[in-house]
Amino acid sequence: MPESAPQVAVIDYGMGNLFSVRNACRRVGLDATVTSDPAVAAASGALILPGVGAFGDGMQALRDLGMTRVILDAAESGKPILGICLGAQLLMTESEEFGRFKGLGLLRGPVRRFQGPQEEGRPLKIPHVCWSPIRHPDAMQAAPWRGTLLDSVAEGEYMYFVHSYVLMPEDRAMVLSFSRYGQVEFCSSLRAGSIYACQFHPERSGPPGLTVYANLRRLLLERGRNER
Amino acid sequence: MLTKRIIPCLDVRAGKVTKGVKFKGNVDIGDPVEFARLYYEEGCDELVFYDITASNERRDIMIEVVRAVAEAVFIPFSVGGGLRTLEDMRRVLLAGAEKVSVDSGAVRNPAIISEGARAFGSQCIVLSMQAQRVAPSARIPSGWEIFIDGARTPTGLDAVEWARRGEGLGAGELCVNSIDQDGARSGYDLPLTRTISEAVAIPVIASGGGGSAQHIYDVCTQGKADAAIVASIIHRRDTTIPELKRDLAARGLPVRMNW
């Protein structure tokens, strides 16, 4: 492949439609392969773990495919990982969705159901299906998104969300962005080293969402150059 | 107030966008992928496609349209028209749609709503309904009756009862189209939209009659709609999505403006 198209594996574990993710990758010049083969995933430059559905089912599907080892190894080796929506939640320690399930544990903290979001005294509908702005965390530094997958996304930019559960990282330093649903503030993306988790769907969030994928491409090109 | 969505609607017949008035006399006006790309670039929040192709054998054309749209736009879009089975829904979703919309098929077989919600999640099942004003009666207490098959066939269903039933079956959203206002560009049916919005807890998309930013503002405030469908006013370029959104934002309606 020419340098312009780094390879990424979009992990297909039967949880939702992955073609929008693949299309977004292709749009920004990533060579994306949708795969449920652990060997193909292991050979790629980065992993994208998308998904829509229930946490327990998702973990079970990853185990059945033999994909958990590949993801953990990738994290260990510093290979970029991007979890999206359910995929983001699976990177966490555990979830209480329909029971209590252990996650991949790459990011410390649980996944919890939205706690009573409301607006003007009326309860808001769950799932949260909405375009909502993403905001900087209460960061000390001036440009907290510089050099991350949110690089050059404007603060307050709208992203598209579909979810009932939220990421609850133990370490606030991991929080990349916050968003609100009614009065409830929640973590809408987080980062630990080369591991990223987005609660929103960048592939459905228009040009600002595509920026996330374009940043992943740039990150991979930089990694490629450093390794040579 | 949550952000209100502006949703262009494209009626597609045999792979071409058409526009009709009161469900009669459709004329082809262009390529759905080109329309989708333009409205996406202008910053619409979502797109809706209705396949109004009459014959079944030409429906594969729509799947190709959906696939091409999914490669060109990166926002949610829904596809409806002629979806009768889970397999119909699955094909559309696998081609890249975010949501499916059921209408006449759901009136004939309401179980399709619950089956779809179970298989793909409520968030991707939109119940679309065509309502027409009638004299209130014991059977139609609200005074709005549901029609099917391109608004030609009365069903004897009360629109409010049907909306509640759809929500109970697992629809994630309702798209309420006013047959009386359709294509007239004189404003959405505010009483209809408000009545349905107040009867359910799921988002309501107002459709039929949108002719100006004022109309959208009215239906999102007085009509309590969460989103508004626009069609001919933008297809004919009487206005554009950014123009509409600037106008709405100036009136104080929360809309997504940023790009």
Side-chain angles (χ1 to χ4, degrees):
Chain A
M1 286 310 292
E3 189 191 61
S4 57
Q7 287 185 311
V8 298
V10 179
I11 298 177
D12 180 3
Y13 57 116
M15 304 298 282
N17 173 22
L18 314 178
F19 292 97
S20 55
V21 173
R22 186 200 61 185
N23 288 343
C25 286
R26 289 187 177 169
R27 168 56 64 96
V28 302
L30 283 165
D31 177 14
T33 307
V34 175
T35 184
S36 49
D37 181 345
V40 172
S44 74
L47 301 180
I48 298 180
L49 187 60
V52 176
F55 192 97
D57 296 345
M59 275 310 293
Q60 192 56 48
L62 286 178
R63 272 189 224 106
D64 291 347
L65 288 172
M67 206 54 100
T68 49
R69 186 76 259 155
V70 175
I71 299 169
L72 297 176
D73 287 350
E76 183 110 334
S77 69
K79 188 184 280 190
I81 298 174
L82 170 59
I84 298 165
C85 197
L86 174 63
Q89 298 179 356
L90 294 176
L91 300 177
M92 306 292 289
T93 310
E94 60 168 27
S95 171
E96 58 177 23
E97 186 175 4
F98 304 124
R100 204 177 186 84
F101 296 95
K102 275 185 106 60
L104 290 161
L106 291 174
L107 302 169
R108 290 187 63 80
V111 178
R112 298 265 185 261
R113 195 169 166 86
F114 261 122
Q115 291 301 306
Q118 48 177 273
E119 186 185 68
E120 291 155 14
R122 274 183 55 172
L124 287 170
K125 184 82 187 160
I126 294 173
H128 167 227
V129 182
C130 202
W131 287 89
S132 298
I134 59 168
R135 307 247 170 235
H136 289 163
D138 34 21
M140 310 299 278
Q141 75 256 51
W145 292 345
R146 184 172 297 157
T148 75
L149 292 191
L150 292 178
D151 198 326
S152 74
V153 172
E155 188 186 16
E157 193 59 86
Y158 287 82
M159 297 288 182
Y160 185 70
F161 290 83
V162 183
H163 63 126
S164 302
Y165 287 74
V166 290
L167 309 165
M168 311 270 288
E170 274 174 17
D171 180 1
R172 280 178 77 89
M174 288 199 304
V175 175
L176 205 51
S177 69
F178 281 112
S179 296
R180 295 183 84 86
Y181 187 38
Q183 87 292 11
V184 177
E185 188 175 67
F186 63 94
C187 167
S188 48
S189 65
L190 54 91
R191 178 213 181 172
S194 57
I195 303 171
Y196 286 87
C198 286
Q199 186 57 67
F200 52 85
H201 288 269
E203 67 284 357
R204 292 287 194 205
S205 300
L210 290 179
T211 303
V212 173
Y213 288 94
N215 286 332
L216 177 62
R217 174 175 176 270
R218 208 181 49 197
L219 187 76
L220 289 171
L221 290 176
E222 280 164 14
R223 273 173 62 86
R225 278 195 288 273
N226 291 341
E227 278 166 15
R228 264 199 297 278
Chain B
M1 215 192 292
L2 296 175
T3 311
K4 303 294 184 183
R5 288 169 286 155
I6 307 301
I7 308 177
C9 174
L10 297 159
D11 288 339
V12 180
R13 183 177 59 183
K16 292 281 176 227
V17 177
T18 76
K19 185 61 199 164
V21 174
K22 285 199 186 268
F23 298 91
K24 291 166 200 141
N26 284 287
V27 285
D28 288 357
I29 55 174
D31 174 10
V33 183
E34 288 311 311
F35 273 100
R37 188 176 286 130
L38 172 65
Y39 298 151
Y40 165 69
E41 283 166 3
E42 287 191 348
C44 71
D45 300 297
E46 204 167 311
L47 286 160
V48 171
F49 296 85
Y50 284 115
D51 182 10
I52 60 166
T53 307
S55 66
N56 273 326
E57 55 270 29
R58 302 187 75 180
R59 290 203 184 277
D60 285 348
I61 301 172
M62 191 61 191
I63 295 295
E64 287 312 311
V65 169
V66 173
R67 208 166 274 139
V69 168
E71 285 172 6
V73 311
F74 297 92
I75 51 172
F77 67 92
S78 70
V79 175
L83 305 180
R84 291 185 192 87
T85 65
L86 271 189
E87 193 44 40
D88 292 342
M89 292 180 170
R90 190 187 312 275
R91 287 180 70 212
V92 166
L93 293 170
L94 280 179
E98 174 83 4
K99 308 176 184 182
V100 288
S101 151
V102 287
D103 194 309
S104 306
V107 170
R108 291 204 174 84
N109 172 26
I112 188 72
I113 301 171
S114 45
E115 287 167 12
R118 213 174 303 122
F120 312 115
S122 280
Q123 80 287 341
C124 72
I125 308 296
V126 182
L127 175 60
S128 166
M129 55 181 72
Q130 318 289 328
Q132 184 167 309
R133 200 182 276 274
V134 294
S137 62
R139 216 166 49 135
I140 316 283
S142 75
W144 284 286
E145 182 175 359
I146 297 296
F147 281 62
I148 55 172
D149 299 336
R152 285 185 296 269
T153 314
T155 63
L157 284 172
D158 182 276
V160 173
E161 283 169 22
W162 178 231
R164 286 208 184 98
R165 183 144 176 240
E167 179 184 34
L169 287 168
E173 236 168 30
L174 300 178
C175 182
V176 180
N177 189 51
S178 161
I179 296 171
D180 304 292
Q181 295 302 107
D182 185 71
R185 306 163 89 194
S186 55
Y188 300 88
D189 190 329
L190 302 182
L192 168 67
T193 312
R194 184 186 180 107
T195 303
I196 304 264
S197 286
E198 287 178 343
V200 298
I202 52 180
V204 168
I205 305 166
S207 170
S212 68
Q214 178 72 51
H215 295 155
I216 297 171
Y217 180 80
D218 289 344
V219 83
C220 288
T221 52
Q222 297 171 51
K224 298 198 168 183
D226 298 279
I229 296 275
V230 289
S232 63
I233 52 165
I234 56 164
H235 300 337
R236 295 191 203 174
R237 302 273 85 191
D238 297 344
T239 182
T240 63
I241 303 281
E243 237 173 61
L244 283 175
K245 286 198 165 184
R246 270 194 298 274
D247 193 329
L248 292 168
R251 291 165 197 262
L253 198 74
V255 287
R256 186 179 61 101
M257 285 296 292
N258 297 41
W259 88 70

